[in-house]
Amino acid sequence: RASKGNQELIAQLAKVEVSIEVEVGEEDKMFGSVTNLDIHKALTEKDVKIDRQSILLDQPIKTLGVHNVPIKLSSGEKQEIKVYVIKA
């Protein structure tokens, strides 16, 4: 059973949507990639306090669009957040 703090975090994460602007070149090809560091920074700006290691991003994101990124909670549960990767 999730602790009260975890339940609040799950509820908060369920509503979280972060947008990360990236530079793109021809055919909307991204110059870099979005890493868990970028996502962590975006979450911190929204006052979502989670450990960067909790962001379960297997590979850096290299495409524009909406990406569901799982966040691992201390209880072992996971909650996905929506990450919008958009053109700067």
Side-chain angles (χ1 to χ4, degrees), residues 12-85:
Q12 184 183 21
L13 289 174
K15 291 185 291 217
V16 165
E17 295 181 350
V18 294
S19 295
I20 297 175
E21 292 188 353
V22 294
E23 296 289 326
V24 295
E26 286 180 31
E27 295 172 17
D28 286 346
K29 199 161 172 51
M30 284 171 54
F31 286 126
S33 58
V34 174
T35 64
N36 64 356
L37 195 61
D38 299 313
I39 296 169
H40 186 257
K41 188 172 160 241
L43 286 171
T44 304
E45 285 166 6
K46 288 189 174 276
D47 270 344
V48 179
K49 305 204 182 335
I50 56 162
D51 184 14
R52 187 165 64 91
Q53 306 303 321
S54 304
I55 302 168
L56 303 178
L57 192 61
D58 296 333
Q59 306 264 324
I61 299 170
K62 295 181 188 290
T63 55
L64 295 175
V66 185
H67 301 269
N68 289 324
V69 178
I71 307 294
K72 186 174 184 213
L73 306 170
S74 56
S75 61
E77 292 171 278
K78 291 179 187 164
Q79 173 61 51
E80 287 188 342
I81 61 166
K82 279 193 175 357
V83 177
Y84 291 83
V85 180

